[in-house]
């Protein structure tokens, strides 16, 4: 007896094969993941020992033997572990910069406003328009609080601005001015006018080919030479112009990618309805293009946040610049490692938050397009 | 057959679209834009000229041949006070290129390793790789560089340095390594070996071509290639009298004598550049390998290829098409970010230019030369990547 021709069924003594031992209990899963073959077992053991060693030595250095509070840095000298006292002693300088001591409540208030509004934005408790309007208000309040000179607040010049509020302000300004400029550059690169196209391409490619530091130096050192002497632009603003242009050149390419992904028929249909160029872009093409570009755009936005640290090289006191100032104190100069680890952690938390938010926007978009296609 | 082909090409070639005449409005707006840009440029230049006149400054590139009276930290190339500004540019460029090349090699190897580890079925390996990528991507590169600098400068004094087998010493003066007594000979031998490597590569291309034509293999190919690489290096080395002495660093006073020393500045910028970009390269490698259809692995497995051959012959050629463009963008980014050496005093192109513009007062000239040099290097990497992409492209496929 044999099975029908063309059948894969086995007949007779061949017992059906047992299913693969997949999902057969927690232990089997662990074994498949970590000890499947002798080679991978060895890898697990070696990596595991190294990880345990690293964690144990870090805990010993950073927690057990560490000094947490020590205003004079005396105990730190004899301790074998980390000296977190440098943070408890200098956290005000690191987070708030060289802002006048009595007015530092203003800086602290700004940080609180930013964090609160960022959380409210991230959970999308309000409609988009309200969220964006809220950011405009946050921006305006930040400027008023930092600068003062109105509502009975004392005036404080930009040279004293610093810390997290300055980092936030620089970042917010870069995004707020950079994205519109990026959209213009991206549209310009696809323009039918050769002159507009050439100017856009030259700007984008030229800026992308040189380091951000060179762009910032152009802004801070060369711009004043090219402007009339009576037009005195603040150093902070000049550096910010460099940040905006650099961000826009990168974001323009991302948005151009989004524009290319929008089907030509969308634009053509709008044209057939008699819509003009700007109306088509504003209502039909750009909303779709930006939604497509958002995941990649968030990479650039996170990079813009990381790039605010370049201000430290220009001698401005963003978080990194302020940390440098804090660690110039001869009593604490030996605890740079702890200081920079703290800054590292701070940036890590903020950038991770931004990246999580970007991913949630991406999922939102995916869900909406799936619904639209159904 | 030929009829079909003819028909196909005839159908493919659409008639050229009618040349669109620019409307008067389009011409007007473009002309207006040009005039506006020219006016702004003229206004800026006039301002700059007035500002330079007011400060009694001259412009021009003549200063390049003047003597520069500053000294810089040591790196691959050293600048001595009294040499010209042009030399200073060359020294900075050399240091930038050297640290970038070394970092690109390290970052590529480390990034590939981490990217493969993320794809590993071993949970611990992929978890650690993911933690690495998270930590290094989500923090500013400058913070990392400054962190490494403070790490290397806060190492113990030379007297209680950390050492590995009394050969390598790490102290706050940097890392001292054993080095050949006669380094120049070894460099020449390495160069000769590199030439041999190029020749060996050419030979392998010729042999492969013959194999495709005739199906004949040339058995001793690997041996001949090894000989082609080693022989020139050995000949150069022997011709210089076969120097075999190694200089081992030893403590003398407060510092190490002998051997070669890697300065904390170099180590900080090297670690900062390599580790940061490696995290990005890991993601690119992961995405590239992920882009290869799983059926390709299965098919290769079915015909009995070994795991190494699957990766070398099936996966890598297909993954590289996806990997190369973003990889080149990361290389450009690494090259540009080497300018962060200025934050810790590594004498790269940017930090030397920064010193130069202070000493010479020629801000515009120095910054423009520097920007042009970076731009040319970035464009060169882009051109090489385009060529590599064409080499790996699958004929007949557009992407």
């Amino acid at each position: 007896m044999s099975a029908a021709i063309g059948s894969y069924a086995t007949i007779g003594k061949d017992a059906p094969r047992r299913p693969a031992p997949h999902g057969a209990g927690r232990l089997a899963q662990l074994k498949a993941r970590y000890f499947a073959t002798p080679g991978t077992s060895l890898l697990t053991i070696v990596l595991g020992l190294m990880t345990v060693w690293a964690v144990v030595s870090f805990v010993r250095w950073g927690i057990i033997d560490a000094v947490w509070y020590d205003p004079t840095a005396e105990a730190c000298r004899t301790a074998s572990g980390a000296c977190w006292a440098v943070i408890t002693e200098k956290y005000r300088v690191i987070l708030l910069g060289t802002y006048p001591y009595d007015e530092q409540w203003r800086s602290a208030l700004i940080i609180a406003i930013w964090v609160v509004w960022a959380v409210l934005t991230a959970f999308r408790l309000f409609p988009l328009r309200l969220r964006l309007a809220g950011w405009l208000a946050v921006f305006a309040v930040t400027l008023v609080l930092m600068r003062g000179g109105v509502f009975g607040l004392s005036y404080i010049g930009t040279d004293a601005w610093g810390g997290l509020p300055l980092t936030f302000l620089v970042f917010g300004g870069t995004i707020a001015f950079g994205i519109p400029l990026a959209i213009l550059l991206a549209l310009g690169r696809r323009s039918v006018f050769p002159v507009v196209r050439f100017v856009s391409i030259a700007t984008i490619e030229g800026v992308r080919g040189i380091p951000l530091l060179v762009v910032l130096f152009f802004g801070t050192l060369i711009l004043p030479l090219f402007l009339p002497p009576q037009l005195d632009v603040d150093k902070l603003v000049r550096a910010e112009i460099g940040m905006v242009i650099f961000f826009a050149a990168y974001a323009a390419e991302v948005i151009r990618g989004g524009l290319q992904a929008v089907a030509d028929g969308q634009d053509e249909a709008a044209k057939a309805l008699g819509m003009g160029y700007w109306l088509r872009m504003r209502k039909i093409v750009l909303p779709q293009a930006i939604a497509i570009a958002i995941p990649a755009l968030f990479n650039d936005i996170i990079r813009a946040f990381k790039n605010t640290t370049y201000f430290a090289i220009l001698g401005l006191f963003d978080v990194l610049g302020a940390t440098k100032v804090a660690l110039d104190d001869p009593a604490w100069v030996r605890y740079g490692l702890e200081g920079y680890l703290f800054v590292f952690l701070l940036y890590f938390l903020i950038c991770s938050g931004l990246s999580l938010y970007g991913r949630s926007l991406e999922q939102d978009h995916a869900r909406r397009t799936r619904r639209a296609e159904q | 057959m030929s009829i079909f082909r003819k028909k196909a090409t005839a159908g493919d070639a659409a008639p050229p679209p009618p040349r669109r005449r620019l409307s008067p409005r389009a011409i007007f707006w473009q002309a207006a834009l040009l005039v506006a840009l020219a006016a702004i440029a003229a206004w800026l230049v006039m301002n700059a000229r007035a500002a330079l006149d007011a400060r009694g400054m001259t412009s021009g590139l003549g200063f390049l041949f003047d003597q520069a009276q500053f000294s810089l930290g040591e790196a691959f190339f050293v600048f001595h006070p009294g040499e010209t500004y042009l030399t200073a540019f060359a020294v900075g460029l050399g240091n930038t290129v050297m640290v970038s090349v070394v970092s690109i090699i390290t970052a590529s190897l480390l990034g590939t390793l981490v990217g493969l580890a993320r794809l590993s079925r071993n949970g611990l390996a992929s978890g650690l790789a993911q933690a690495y990528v998270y930590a290094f991507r989500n923090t500013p590169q400058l913070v990392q560089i400054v962190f490494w600098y403070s790490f290397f400068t806060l190492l113990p004094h030379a007297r209680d340095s950390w050492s590995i087998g009394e050969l390598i010493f790490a102290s706050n003066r940097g890392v001292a390594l054993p080095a050949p007594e006669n380094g120049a000979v070894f460099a020449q031998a390495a160069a000769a070996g590199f030439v041999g490597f190029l020749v060996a590569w050419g030979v392998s291309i010729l042999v492969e071509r013959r194999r495709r034509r005739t199906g004949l293999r040339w058995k001793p190919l690997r041996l001949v290639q090894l000989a082609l690489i080693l022989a020139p290096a050995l000949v150069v080395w022997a011709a210089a009298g076969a120097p075999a002495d190694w200089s081992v660093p030893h403590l003398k006073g407060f510092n190490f004598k002998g051997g070669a020393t890697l300065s904390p500045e170099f180590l900080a910028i090297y670690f900062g550049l390599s580790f940061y970009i490696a995290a990005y390269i890991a993601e690119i490698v992961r995405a590239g390998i992920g882009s290869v259809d799983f059926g390709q692995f299965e098919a290769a497995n079915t015909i009995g290829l070994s795991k190494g051959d699957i990766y070398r012959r099936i996966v890598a050629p297909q993954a590289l098409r996806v990997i190369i463009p973003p990889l080149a963008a990361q290389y450009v980014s690494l090259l540009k970010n080497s300018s962060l050496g200025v934050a810790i005093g590594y004498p790269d192109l940017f930090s030397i230019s920064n010193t130069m513009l202070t000493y010479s007062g020629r801000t515009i000239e120095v910054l423009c030369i520097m920007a042009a040099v970076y731009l040319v290097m970035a464009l060169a990497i882009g051109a090489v990547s385009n060529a590599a992409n064409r080499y790996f492209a699958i004929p007949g496929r557009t992407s």
Side-chain angles (χ1 to χ4, degrees):
Chain A
M1 251 322 248
S2 70
I5 294 165
S7 161
Y8 289 94
T10 52
I11 291 175
K13 271 193 270 174
D14 287 344
R17 274 202 284 163
R18 281 162 50 134
H22 193 72
R26 210 32 77 77
L27 204 66
Q29 269 183 19
L30 276 181
K31 193 175 169 229
R33 227 167 132 60
Y34 297 99
F35 298 99
T37 63
T40 191
S41 307
L42 188 69
L43 185 68
T44 303
I45 291 169
V46 170
L47 281 180
L49 285 177
M50 277 165 63
T51 314
V52 168
W53 175 80
V55 169
V56 166
S57 14
F58 185 80
V59 166
R60 187 177 294 155
W61 176 80
I63 296 176
I64 298 174
D65 292 341
V67 177
W68 294 89
Y69 180 74
D70 174 19
T72 55
E74 281 306 316
C76 279
R77 257 171 245 296
T78 53
S80 63
C83 175
W84 299 118
V86 66
I87 309 297
T88 40
E89 195 62 24
K90 294 285 183 191
Y91 76 97
R92 270 182 103 124
V93 182
I94 293 175
L95 294 179
L96 308 179
T98 51
Y99 210 69
Y101 195 86
D102 289 335
E103 303 291 334
Q104 283 186 354
W105 61 269
R106 281 152 64 173
S107 302
L109 187 60
I110 290 170
I111 297 177
I113 293 174
W114 276 75
V115 170
V116 167
W117 196 250
V119 169
L120 291 180
T121 306
F123 287 103
R124 304 191 199 43
L125 294 179
F126 310 112
L128 180 67
R129 268 164 205 276
L130 188 60
R131 274 181 267 157
L132 290 180
W135 278 116
L136 263 181
V138 166
F139 214 72
V141 169
T142 305
L143 276 178
V144 168
L145 278 174
M146 281 300 263
R147 190 168 175 280
V150 281
F151 306 128
L153 297 166
S154 58
Y155 171 78
I156 288 161
T158 53
D159 49 338
W161 295 11
L164 214 43
L166 182 67
T167 296
F168 284 162
L169 202 61
V170 169
F171 171 62
T174 307
I175 307 301
F177 292 101
I179 286 187
L181 182 60
I183 292 174
L184 285 182
L185 283 173
L187 290 177
R189 201 172 175 162
R190 286 163 57 90
S191 166
V192 289
F193 298 164
V195 175
V196 177
R197 209 160 51 226
F198 176 77
V199 170
S200 306
I201 292 178
T203 312
I204 293 172
E205 296 301 333
V207 171
R208 278 161 55 98
I210 56 178
L212 172 57
L213 251 157
V214 177
V215 180
L216 292 179
F217 267 54
F218 267 106
T220 49
L221 294 179
I222 291 199
L223 196 59
L225 284 177
F226 279 97
L227 293 176
Q230 58 274 24
L231 190 74
D232 185 25
V233 185
D234 191 271
K235 186 181 179 186
L236 196 62
V237 178
R238 297 196 311 256
E240 183 64 26
I241 292 173
M243 291 289 278
V244 168
I245 291 176
F246 190 79
F247 171 76
Y250 275 87
E253 287 296 273
V254 171
I255 290 171
R256 185 167 72 109
L259 286 172
Q260 275 168 354
V262 176
D264 288 341
Q266 296 283 328
D267 193 39
E268 285 161 8
K271 217 186 261 177
L273 289 176
M275 294 165 90
Y277 177 79
W278 290 108
L279 192 61
R280 282 191 330 260
M281 290 303 132
R282 209 153 49 85
K283 293 285 181 193
I284 309 290
V285 178
L286 278 175
Q288 300 183 60
I290 290 176
I292 295 169
I294 273 201
L297 203 54
F298 249 83
N299 285 339
D300 279 331
I301 289 176
I302 293 171
R303 186 163 46 194
F305 187 78
K306 295 193 284 186
N307 283 347
T308 56
T309 51
Y310 279 60
F311 273 42
I313 295 178
L314 303 178
L316 296 163
F317 304 111
D318 73 304
V319 175
L320 185 63
T323 311
K324 274 187 167 168
V325 173
L327 293 170
D328 276 344
D329 184 342
W332 300 101
V333 74
R334 294 186 50 216
Y335 308 105
L337 223 50
E338 288 87 340
Y340 290 124
L341 268 180
F342 175 72
V343 176
F344 189 91
L345 191 67
L346 187 67
Y347 278 104
F348 178 76
L349 288 178
I350 296 174
C351 292
S352 303
L354 280 173
S355 131
L356 275 180
Y357 179 56
R359 209 165 306 150
S360 79
L361 282 184
E362 192 182 335
Q363 282 163 1
D364 258 21
H365 175 64
R367 211 175 303 136
R368 230 170 320 162
T369 43
R370 223 177 304 134
R371 211 179 297 146
E373 276 161 13
Q374 272 168 9
Chain B
M1 187 67 197
S2 62
I3 297 169
F4 279 124
R5 189 167 287 168
K6 217 172 189 178
K7 250 187 183 164
T9 44
D12 276 348
R19 226 183 126 71
R20 269 219 286 170
R21 286 273 174 98
L22 283 175
S23 66
R25 224 172 59 165
I27 294 173
F28 168 76
W29 281 116
Q30 293 192 70
L33 181 70
L34 270 183
V35 170
L37 285 178
I40 292 174
W43 181 67
L44 292 175
V45 168
M46 262 158 55
N47 281 330
R49 189 160 292 165
L52 290 181
D53 284 346
R55 295 174 205 193
M57 282 152 66
T58 52
S59 53
L61 296 175
F63 76 100
L64 283 175
F65 303 102
D66 294 347
Q67 288 189 347
Q69 299 298 339
F70 52 78
S71 59
L72 299 155
E74 281 193 27
F76 292 96
F77 302 98
V78 184
F79 179 80
H80 304 285
E83 290 175 326
T84 61
Y85 282 98
L86 195 61
T87 318
F89 262 122
V91 167
L93 178 62
N95 286 333
T96 290
V97 169
M98 287 307 280
V99 78
S100 301
V101 167
V102 178
S103 305
I104 280 177
I105 294 171
T106 314
S108 303
L109 295 176
L110 184 63
T112 310
L113 186 73
V114 174
L116 290 175
R118 270 205 80 172
L119 290 168
S120 160
R121 248 176 285 170
N122 186 313
L124 194 57
S126 66
L128 285 177
Q130 186 157 7
Y132 173 86
V133 171
Y134 262 58
F136 282 89
R137 262 172 60 127
N138 278 336
T139 44
Q141 192 169 20
L142 186 56
V143 172
Q144 294 178 22
I145 291 172
V146 177
F147 171 82
W148 288 120
Y149 187 58
S150 103
F151 174 78
F152 283 113
T153 47
L154 290 172
L155 285 175
H157 290 289
R159 280 167 184 276
D160 354 279
S161 60
W162 301 350
S163 86
I164 302 174
E166 296 297 312
L167 285 174
I168 301 172
F169 298 89
S171 69
N172 60 356
R173 299 294 183 94
V175 172
L177 304 160
E181 200 76 70
N182 199 338
V185 170
F186 279 85
Q188 287 159 9
F194 183 69
V195 173
F197 169 77
L198 292 182
V199 174
W201 195 18
V203 167
S204 77
I205 290 175
L206 287 180
V207 168
E208 176 67 15
R209 238 179 238 170
R210 196 183 74 128
R211 190 185 67 78
R212 289 203 177 166
R213 215 178 44 240
T214 63
L216 294 174
R217 281 169 199 279
W218 193 43
K219 283 244 174 78
L221 173 65
R222 297 279 167 221
L223 264 172
V224 169
Q225 280 183 322
L226 198 66
L228 277 174
I229 296 171
L230 285 182
L234 283 174
V235 165
V236 168
W237 180 63
D245 290 336
W246 281 70
S247 150
V248 177
H250 55 277
L251 190 64
K252 197 163 189 188
F254 292 107
N255 209 343
F256 287 99
K257 283 269 179 302
T261 306
L262 303 174
S263 67
E265 289 81 18
F266 167 75
L267 288 166
I269 187 85
Y270 170 57
F271 276 44
L273 290 175
S274 309
F275 288 161
Y276 181 81
I277 297 293
Y280 282 86
I281 292 181
E283 287 294 277
I284 292 170
V285 167
R286 188 175 71 112
I289 293 177
S291 76
V292 178
D293 191 277
F294 197 67
Q296 299 280 328
F297 286 87
E298 290 176 331
N301 216 358
T302 310
I303 61 173
L305 288 186
S306 71
K307 206 168 176 192
D309 270 345
I310 293 179
Y311 269 92
R312 207 156 56 87
R313 304 231 176 246
I314 308 293
V315 178
Q318 302 184 64
L320 277 175
R321 294 180 303 126
V322 182
I323 288 175
I324 286 176
L327 189 66
Q330 290 305 325
Y331 287 170
V332 172
S333 158
L334 188 149
L335 175 82
K336 293 194 298 175
N337 290 350
S338 68
S339 60
L340 290 174
V342 71
I344 54 168
Y346 176 76
D348 72 313
L349 180 59
F350 188 90
S351 83
I352 287 190
S353 304
N354 191 23
T355 314
M356 267 193 281
L357 60 88
T358 319
Y359 274 80
S360 68
R362 306 299 178 92
T363 317
I364 300 175
E365 292 88 337
V366 169
L367 273 181
C368 286
I369 293 174
M370 174 175 60
V373 172
Y374 275 114
L375 197 57
V376 167
M377 287 194 286
L379 291 177
I381 295 181
V384 170
S385 117
N386 282 344
N389 223 13
R390 268 198 302 280
Y391 178 79
F392 284 110
I394 294 176
R397 269 203 228 169
T398 45
S399 64

